Amino acid sequence: MSIFCLDFMKLNELNIEQATKGLREGDFTSVELTQACLDRISERNSEINAFITVTDKLALEEAGRADEMIKAGNVMPLTGVPFCVKDAICVEGVRSTGGAKILDNYIAPYDATVISKIRKQGAVLLGKTNCDAFGHGASNENSMYGPVRNPHNLKKVAGGSSGGSAAAVADHQCIFSIAEDTGGSIRQPAAFCGIAGIRPSYGRNSRYGIMPMASSFDTVGPMAKSVEDLALLMEVMAGHDVNDATTVPEDVGSYMDDVGKDIKGLRVGIPREYFELEGLDVEVKKIIEDKINILKNKGCEIIEVSLPHTKYAVPTYYILVPSEDSSNLGRLDAIRYGVQTEGLSLFDVYAKSRAVGFPEEVKRRIMVGTYALSAGYYEAYYKKAQKVRTKIIEDFDKVFENVDVLVTPTSPFPAFEIGEKSDDLLAMYLADIFVSPASVAGIPGLSVSAGNTKEGLPVGLQIIGPRLGEGVVLQVGNNIS
Ligand code: GLN
């Protein structure tokens, strides 16, 4: 983008690449850029509700320090760039509620590894973003801090569970955001809000300091205004961490180089099951098919493939994830930290604190998970779901012998109305139908904006890659968005 164009953009509307350029060239300071984001937040937060906590004072201090760094020539890719963090991710000294009242007063004592890597570069923290409590949801309506409204249409949901992060990026209340994706929580809200977001492979980015939801599914990734920005952020965030034994030792890719590469000759798989789904919105289907044609015109080989166990991904996910959830949430007993409710006995304190501190969906997951793990039902549910998980992984392994990436819609439909699905649990769970398979398999998925419906709602296109295939996923994403 030329500086001529930048003249017509407000500072908060810039992406990372543009912001960094302007900061380095002295067109504006980080304090000015940060103030522009803070102004936008205060103008819009009462309506959109993207932020649970705004760290305005801290942000301006950090921006001042970043300006000093820039003046001293100590500039890294994110120096002075304002960002926000999903509230289920710990940031030292900052309230981190995870979207649940049981942690309403919780001040995280340390930075999550990915956050410390970003902050070490001198990026500026604007605050913590709203989310479904502990990541449980597909609409951000399970937050105890109220739903997030979609900036494209305030009657619609922003998606979930990282709805606050997605809306903050789309509404230019920040330059980028860091969020968590267990079963679609980065990709689906990115799709609903018309931005880019990547769920990396399981183990690529450290989970240390992320409030655990389902430990064998959880990933942390960036949400941004462009695929290049995601590539840059992935280079900063990824890598082995001694504090997370599940991080992989493989070298981090050169994602910035990958996004610049041509896609001619790449083999793009189109999984039949995703396009034959009853309930796939016709407009969504058309927009995605048009994009597939663009890939074809750019020299990609388009290959129809089958992932026969796709239909089992949502049921498998909703057995295994609540099982892990029920175990992970056991730590929230309001004794060592969190909001404690008075009780007559220790058990009473636990029960009352959890009764008022968790929303319905969190309680539901604890019950489902406890049931699935109980001695009588373990074989019938948990163990069976683990076996199906292997089948789903094998489906992907098999297709990736013949294709480089898979292209699908991110969601079968665009953003729905606030309240539309909140009483219909099954409909809400089925919203994950296209995002849960990659989560179950632990492989990367990127959502990029593919266009808008006639009603003006964004439609997301998902690119799924093989394990540690973030590079090729970003490469295709950059060529199609
Ligand atoms: N819709 C998914 C769920 O409710 C999203 C989870 C996530 O990615 N945090 O489990």
Side-chain angles (χ1 to χ4, degrees):
M1 163 128 1
S2 79
I3 208 74
F4 175 75
C5 263
L6 290 182
D7 285 347
F8 294 95
M9 287 175 87
K10 295 194 181 128
L11 293 183
N12 53 303
E13 292 174 3
L14 303 177
N15 64 26
I16 299 177
E17 199 192 343
Q18 295 157 345
T20 307
K21 188 168 180 285
L23 287 168
R24 282 189 193 175
E25 292 178 2
D27 296 333
F28 46 82
T29 64
S30 174
V31 168
E32 287 165 343
L33 178 60
T34 301
Q35 191 60 58
C37 293
L38 291 172
D39 289 348
R40 181 73 179 165
I41 296 170
S42 66
E43 184 194 325
R44 301 279 283 174
N45 205 41
S46 58
E47 209 161 31
I48 306 263
N49 199 23
F51 280 80
I52 292 178
T53 303
V54 182
T55 52
D56 38 4
K57 201 167 152 268
L58 176 71
L60 290 170
E61 275 166 29
E62 288 185 357
R65 280 202 291 276
D67 282 330
E68 294 299 321
M69 284 170 74
I70 295 167
K71 245 191 252 157
N74 177 16
V75 192
M76 285 166 276
L78 299 175
T79 311
V81 182
F83 75 114
C84 53
V85 178
K86 181 177 185 173
D87 215 19
I89 301 176
C90 292
V91 178
E92 188 183 346
V94 176
R95 182 165 81 128
S96 299
T97 72
K101 292 279 172 157
I102 197 159
L103 292 183
D104 191 59
N105 60 1
Y106 178 65
I107 308 290
Y110 64 96
D111 272 345
T113 299
V114 290
I115 301 304
S116 78
K117 285 180 170 184
I118 288 168
R119 291 179 98 191
K120 269 198 191 114
Q121 294 218 343
V124 173
L125 180 82
L126 294 165
K128 304 295 299 295
T129 48
N130 202 344
C131 57
D132 286 301
F134 305 121
H136 302 153
S139 67
N140 218 123
E141 292 167 292
N142 296 331
S143 163
M144 292 179 95
Y145 296 87
V148 176
R149 293 182 183 275
N150 192 312
H152 296 270
N153 179 335
L154 298 177
K155 290 203 181 83
K156 307 277 179 180
V157 300
S161 62
S162 316
S165 286
V169 173
D171 199 46
H172 300 296
Q173 298 176 25
C174 63
I175 309 299
F176 70 91
S177 186
I178 301 302
E180 162 276 336
D181 187 311
T182 300
S185 281
I186 288 179
R187 290 162 288 158
Q188 189 253 27
F192 281 11
C193 290
I195 61 158
I198 185 167
R199 169 212 161 81
S201 309
Y202 180 78
R204 179 67 293 178
N205 293 356
S206 170
R207 291 182 292 116
Y208 182 69
I210 314 301
M211 291 180 192
M213 179 179 158
S215 306
S216 77
F217 291 74
D218 296 345
T219 61
V220 53
M223 304 179 85
K225 300 177 190 178
S226 75
V227 175
E228 278 129 322
D229 283 1
L230 295 182
L232 189 156
L233 289 164
M234 277 299 297
E235 283 193 14
V236 176
M237 295 166 74
H240 181 257
D241 179 12
V242 288
N243 288 325
D244 176 1
T246 61
T247 46
V248 295
E250 279 92 337
D251 286 343
V252 176
S254 305
Y255 306 125
M256 289 299 278
D257 292 341
D258 292 327
V259 286
K261 286 184 198 154
D262 196 353
I263 51 170
K264 194 158 178 253
L266 282 185
R267 298 161 305 165
V268 175
I270 309 298
R272 188 179 308 141
E273 291 77 9
Y274 287 64
F275 289 83
E276 285 173 354
L277 179 87
E278 212 182 299
L280 172 59
D281 181 277
V282 282
E283 253 190 296
V284 169
K285 190 170 184 214
K286 172 84 175 58
I287 289 172
I288 302 301
E289 283 172 349
D290 287 351
K291 285 287 187 186
I292 293 170
N293 273 330
I294 294 178
L295 290 173
K296 196 171 170 191
N297 293 338
K298 288 190 172 186
C300 291
E301 191 186 340
I302 307 295
I303 305 167
E304 192 183 290
V305 297
S306 173
L307 295 162
H309 295 91
T310 297
K311 59 176 175 291
Y312 302 118
V314 169
T316 302
Y317 177 93
Y318 278 99
I319 293 292
L320 296 179
V321 168
S323 300
E324 295 188 24
D325 258 335
S326 66
S327 161
N328 272 326
L329 289 161
R331 79 193 67 205
L332 295 170
D333 56 8
I335 300 296
R336 283 159 300 168
Y337 53 84
V339 180
Q340 198 176 98
T341 306
E342 269 182 49
L344 299 171
S345 63
L346 183 61
F347 181 81
D348 205 32
V349 171
Y350 292 156
K352 287 193 172 130
S353 304
R354 286 162 70 90
V356 296
F358 289 156
E360 289 305 298
E361 182 61 22
V362 172
K363 293 175 192 166
R364 193 176 292 122
R365 300 223 181 180
I366 294 171
M367 286 193 285
V368 170
T370 307
Y371 182 84
L373 290 176
S374 63
Y377 294 99
Y378 175 88
E379 297 272 336
Y381 293 105
Y382 183 78
K383 200 165 167 194
K384 190 175 272 174
Q386 286 291 22
K387 288 183 179 165
V388 182
R389 186 177 197 180
T390 303
K391 291 276 173 213
I392 293 167
I393 294 171
E394 286 169 358
D395 270 6
F396 280 114
D397 286 348
K398 200 153 159 250
V399 294
F400 283 122
E401 284 171 11
N402 298 315
V403 301
D404 298 299
V405 291
L406 295 163
V407 165
T408 79
T410 309
S411 162
F413 34 71
F416 44 88
E417 302 259 320
I418 292 179
E420 186 183 324
K421 291 190 199 292
S422 34
D423 293 332
D424 186 349
L425 259 193
L426 201 58
M428 191 66 92
Y429 289 173
L430 284 170
D432 297 343
I433 196 144
F434 294 159
V435 280
S436 55
S439 295
V440 170
I443 54 180
L446 162 69
S447 183
V448 292
S449 184
N452 285 351
T453 62
K454 289 191 195 79
E455 207 191 332
L457 292 172
V459 170
L461 177 143
Q462 178 177 225
I463 303 153
I464 302 172
R467 187 180 160 273
L468 300 182
E470 284 76 12
V472 68
V473 160
L474 290 162
Q475 180 188 354
V476 175
N478 197 37
N479 273 277
I480 204 167
S481 54

